[in-house]
Amino acid sequence: MAANTISIPKEQPVEVQEEQSVEIHGIERVLPTARTHTRIFDNFTLWFSANLVISTVALGALAVPVFGLGFWDSVMAIVIFNILGSFPVAFLSTLGPKLGLRQMTISRFSFGWSGAGIMALFNVAACTGWSAVNAIVGGELVAAVSGGTIARPVAILIIAVVTTIFGMYGYKQVHRYARYAWIPAAIIFLILMIVAGPKMSIIPTPALGVAEIASFVSFGGAVYGFSTGWSSYASDYNVRQPEETPSSRIFWLTFLGVVIPCVILEVFGLALTTAFKQSGGDLLAAAAQPLGSIGNVLLILLALSIVANNIPNAYSLGLSMQVLGKSFQRVSRVIWTLFGAVFYMLIAIPAVSNFNNTLSDFLLIIAYWLGPWGIILIEEHFVFRRGRYNVDDWNTPQKLPVGWAAMISMGFGLLGVYLGAAQVLFVGPIADLFNPPYGMDVGFELGLIFAGITYLILRRIELALAGR
């Protein structure tokens, strides 16, 4: 087991070329001597900007029409599950300054070389899916504001191109953009809240029963999936902060940066559905209609704010591709970002016609793998390494864990997902026990429990047999 204290490798630090327009640095470890990012508050503004977008509103707007909830039970689900989903993101963010490694690279210390590559593919799928969902929401809004002059596929293309351009720049530019991107978005959302406020109402909570509990838990799964979806990117955005940066400050700044905008805007989206019948981008267009042409300008600016949410997806996708192996690592992150942009556009354009189902299904699916993956990393950190990593080993397969314990545990986690999932096309046997024929989605809870218990057992066996 690599249980040594964090050490400075003998190799020379990778010099990060901060002033160039496009970052060439990939998943290579950023050594303590090369870390110059001292703005600790960037841990808040990055995630605050990334979540203060129309996709967050669209999620809250699913509570009533899709899940059949009332107002106050929806608010309760939004608060509880955002808190639960944000904790893994906040904790994993603290590992960036400690290790100087990107998030999916850190997976190698649990899953081994090959297993981490498989998890990186999961993350590539997540980055692609989130990008597609965001492009759909932004494209819908542009199309609505234009009165149909700009077709939704064309609007999606516009959003994707702008996002990709910014996503290519890299770490420093991502933070520079996020420091200010939240300001116009916050002002516009505040204006829309004031304008639409008088039209909103309180929808009664359905009678407490199996169906109501099932809807509450299933909607909570979507909320959890949205907030915890950032956990597989978490340390990507503070690896250049000094090693001595206080972990407690990183934790709480990250936690609040995710929770505050998610809770506020999801409740706003929920409230909008009590006033208007539309969904997605059309819902915000209806809210801004009393403002006339000024409202259209605000909505265009709001549609562009989706860039702040999609930039991390584009950036982290390229990093995840490099984790697949040394041959993939030799390909520039920028090339992988461009490849991902083309791929998610091919997904977003056909999916735009069935947006609500597409969004809710995707948000639930993304929570499924992140629960087992996250608990494995957390147990490795606290139980088996106790916070100590031999970071020299990050790119040496022979010194990393074999990874079979993590992969089998992941398999058991996915088995739990199978038993507890409640989707349109499939309802698991345990999920079906609670609310047939629709089921109660407990896939992410069972996935986390199954993986967590299995890893505690198998990792000890792996260490006894392989010693690493």
Side-chain angles (χ1 to χ4, degrees), residues 11 32 70 87 99 125 145 149 154 160 166 189 192 238 283 293 333 335 405 435 468:
E11 63 191 53
F87 271 118
L99 307 181
V145 171
T149 303
V154 175
F166 280 97
F189 278 125
L192 293 179
N238 56 15
L283 188 64
S293 58
R333 175 194 60 82
I335 300 300
N435 187 36
R468 56 188 172 99

Side-chain angles (χ1 to χ4, degrees), residues 94-307:
T94 66
L95 299 183
K98 283 182 178 296
L99 307 181
L101 293 170
R102 310 292 185 158
Q103 192 59 66
M104 296 312 296
T105 308
I106 295 173
S107 292
R108 290 177 174 174
F109 289 94
S110 302
F111 286 86
W113 182 271
S114 299
I118 295 173
M119 292 298 99
L121 284 176
F122 276 67
N123 199 43
V124 168
C127 294
T128 303
W130 284 119
S131 297
V133 168
N134 291 331
I136 289 172
V137 178
E140 274 194 337
L141 189 54
V142 171
V145 171
S146 69
T149 303
I150 302 176
R152 290 183 180 185
V154 175
I156 288 173
L157 179 61
I158 293 172
I159 295 292
V161 169
V162 174
T163 298
T164 303
I165 291 173
F166 280 97
M168 290 168 56
Y169 279 87
Y171 182 98
K172 183 177 181 180
Q173 287 71 24
V174 167
H175 278 293
R176 181 177 290 171
Y177 183 86
R179 283 174 205 146
Y180 308 103
W182 67 270
I183 298 174
I187 294 172
I188 295 170
F189 278 125
L190 181 60
I191 293 172
L192 293 179
M193 289 177 188
I194 294 172
V195 171
K199 299 179 182 180
M200 300 174 187
S201 59
I202 302 296
I203 295 179
T205 299
L208 183 63
V210 174
E212 161 67 6
I213 295 173
S215 295
F216 178 88
V217 173
S218 297
F219 175 61
V223 171
Y224 176 90
F226 188 90
S227 56
T228 207
W230 299 114
S231 60
S232 57
Y233 311 176
S235 72
D236 291 355
Y237 302 96
N238 56 15
V239 291
R240 297 185 193 169
Q241 293 191 323
E243 206 171 9
E244 64 274 12
T245 305
S247 294
S248 60
R249 294 187 65 190
I250 293 174
F251 180 94
W252 288 112
L253 287 170
T254 302
F255 178 81
L256 294 174
V258 177
V259 165
I260 292 174
C262 283
V263 169
I264 292 175
L265 291 193
E266 286 165 21
V267 172
F268 179 47
L270 159 69
L272 285 176
T273 61
T274 68
F276 308 103
K277 301 299 182 183
Q278 290 86 345
S279 64
D282 294 335
L283 188 64
L284 287 167
Q289 189 173 10
L291 297 174
S293 58
I294 295 177
N296 290 339
V297 173
L298 295 180
L299 290 175
I300 290 292
L301 294 174
L302 207 54
L304 293 176
S305 74
I306 204 72
V307 172

